[in-house]
């Protein structure tokens, strides 16, 4: 308790990592033991009260990692005015990403967490108005470049609400390109990051990515076994097909390419092609759809 008092007097809290020492004493281990005893109902009442006096959140029900990060962010924002609607400009990127994630998931936070955020100056109104900054930095790749946000959380929790909203509006996630934004959130970039993590996890462990079910519930083919760009081309063809509009030249060329590679397509890809009237690799077709005609009335010339 003496070391706990000393640490709290210096830092203002007891969010101490398990591995932390204080003046040569393993304070993190001691506090972890007190939390375990509290969970089992074996912590003496007088000791719990003494720890509450030092830090009322010394044993948070939402877990210590969140509490540790909260205090680190609190130090980062000391002296800064917070502007949630502008994406918390002027803060270190890690602090900005964490704050945006908390705002995105604000309604799901514990009341105690919401109270702590209020202590930082983030009201419920601020949390609901929070939007990521628009500034990006360029990450160069071989022969190409892509911009990626620097102030947006790529965590599953940070983007899942936007993915749900997009899937509800568009019937899935297949139309989201890398540059797609939804409600100010870079959803296309976020999906790209989740696909990378899913592939890396599978290669590393041989097991499905733990969060795959959350995105599969929104779109069964959010991370297809073929290139995602195929989905974008398909959706363009499907849009023209259902609307009875002539296919652009690039779409016609793409359809013919799919016919030529028919036997290499995934069964799901073949099924999707049948929806727009392509039922096999031959004969190759020249499509002369005209605006105003239904899919069943379109002219398909053999070539």
């Amino acid at each position: 308790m003496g070391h706990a008092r000393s640490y709290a007097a210096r830092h203002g809290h007891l969010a101490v990592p398990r591995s932390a020492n204080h003046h040569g004493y393993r304070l993190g281990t001691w506090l972890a033991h007190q939390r375990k005893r509290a969970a089992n109902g074996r912590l003496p009442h007088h000791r719990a009260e003494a720890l509450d006096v030092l830090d009322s959140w010394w044993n948070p029900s939402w877990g210590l990692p969140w509490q540790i990060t909260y205090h680190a962010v609190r130090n980062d924002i000391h002296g800064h005015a917070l502007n949630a609607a502008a994406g918390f400009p002027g803060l270190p990127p890690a602090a900005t990403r964490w704050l945006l994630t908390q705002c995105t998931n604000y309604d799901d936070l514990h009341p105690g967490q919401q109270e702590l955020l209020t202590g930082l100056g983030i009201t419920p109104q601020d949390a609901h108005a929070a939007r990521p900054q628009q500034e990006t930095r360029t990450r160069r790749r071989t022969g190409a470049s892509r911009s990626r946000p620097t102030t947006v959380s790529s965590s599953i929790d940070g983007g899942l609400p936007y993915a749900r909203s997009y899937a509800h509006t568009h019937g899935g996630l297949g139309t989201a390109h890398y540059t797609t934004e939804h409600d100010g959130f870079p959803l296309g970039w976020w999906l790209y990051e989740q696909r990378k993590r899913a592939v890396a996890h599978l290669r590393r462990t041989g097991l499905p990515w733990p969060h795959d079910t959350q995105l599969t519930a929104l779109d069964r083919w959010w991370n297809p076994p073929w290139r995602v760009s195929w989905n974008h081309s398909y959706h363009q063809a499907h849009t023209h097909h259902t609307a009875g509009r002539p296919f652009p030249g690039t779409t016609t060329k793409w359809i013919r390419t799919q016919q030529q590679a028919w036997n290499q397509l995934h069964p799901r890809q073949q099924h999707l092609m049948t929806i727009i009237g392509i039922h096999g690799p031959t004969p190759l077709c020249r499509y002369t759809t005209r605006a105003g005609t239904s899919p069943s009335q379109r002219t398909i010339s053999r070539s």
Side-chain angles (χ1 to χ4, degrees):
M1 282 299 300
H3 286 285
R5 291 189 187 96
S6 171
Y7 187 95
R10 179 176 179 180
H11 299 280
H13 62 84
L14 289 177
V16 183
R18 190 184 185 96
S19 60
N21 288 352
H22 181 63
H23 295 165
Y25 181 74
R26 296 168 61 188
L27 180 61
T29 301
W30 184 82
L31 282 168
H33 183 59
Q34 308 313 305
R35 295 185 185 102
K36 183 176 180 180
R37 295 184 70 187
N40 295 332
R42 295 189 295 108
L43 185 67
H45 183 68
H46 71 277
R47 181 170 294 179
E49 284 188 335
L51 288 168
D52 284 338
V53 169
L54 300 179
D55 180 358
S56 57
W57 306 106
W58 73 274
N59 187 23
S61 58
W62 46 85
L64 189 62
W66 190 96
Q67 198 70 9
I68 292 173
T69 306
Y70 166 83
H71 285 289
V73 170
R74 188 179 70 170
N75 290 335
D76 285 340
I77 67 177
H78 181 70
H80 287 83
L82 299 185
N83 187 343
F88 302 105
L91 299 181
T96 301
R97 286 192 294 269
W98 188 84
L99 288 170
L100 285 168
T101 299
Q102 306 318 305
C103 292
T104 299
N105 300 287
Y106 187 84
D107 293 335
D108 296 323
L109 294 179
H110 187 281
Q113 293 172 298
Q114 295 177 347
E115 180 181 336
L116 287 169
L117 290 176
T118 300
L120 296 181
I122 300 174
T123 66
Q125 293 75 22
D126 292 328
H128 295 144
R131 291 293 182 271
Q133 297 177 35
Q134 297 302 310
E135 295 89 348
T136 59
R137 69 184 178 195
T138 300
R139 177 175 55 184
R140 292 285 176 182
R141 294 189 169 190
T142 305
S145 64
R146 277 182 171 176
S147 295
R148 68 181 177 91
T150 60
T151 61
V152 181
S153 173
S154 64
S155 70
I156 186 72
D157 291 335
L160 198 56
Y162 297 97
R164 289 196 187 102
S165 173
Y166 185 92
H168 177 75
T169 302
H170 298 274
L173 301 171
T175 57
H177 292 254
Y178 183 84
T179 57
T180 296
E181 290 192 359
H182 183 66
D183 291 340
F185 183 81
L187 181 66
W189 165 80
W190 181 84
L191 284 169
Y192 170 78
E193 292 294 318
Q194 308 318 304
R195 292 183 184 111
K196 282 201 311 182
R197 291 171 184 178
V199 171
H201 181 85
L202 181 63
R203 288 176 178 171
R204 185 175 64 255
T205 67
L207 300 172
W209 189 47
H211 300 294
D212 181 73
T213 53
Q214 293 173 280
L215 287 165
T216 301
L218 304 179
D219 185 338
R220 181 183 176 188
W221 303 101
W222 77 275
N223 187 24
W226 55 84
R227 284 184 174 273
V228 177
S229 57
W230 190 94
N231 288 359
H232 303 153
S233 298
Y234 173 79
H235 281 290
Q236 184 180 37
H238 184 269
T239 299
H240 284 79
H241 178 80
T242 30
R245 299 197 303 268
F247 291 127
T250 53
T251 300
T252 301
K253 182 178 178 180
W254 178 82
I255 292 175
R256 291 172 67 90
T257 300
Q258 305 316 303
Q259 287 189 283
Q260 291 168 339
W262 185 266
N263 294 328
Q264 284 74 52
L265 295 181
H266 187 279
R268 172 63 181 178
Q269 290 175 296
Q270 294 178 349
H271 170 72
L272 289 172
M273 294 301 294
T274 64
I275 295 175
I276 61 173
I278 312 302
H279 298 277
T282 56
L284 299 181
C285 302
R286 181 170 64 255
Y287 301 92
T288 58
T289 56
R290 297 184 301 277
T293 61
S294 66
S296 60
Q297 296 174 322
R298 293 173 190 168
T299 303
I300 301 181
S301 304
R302 308 301 178 186
S303 60

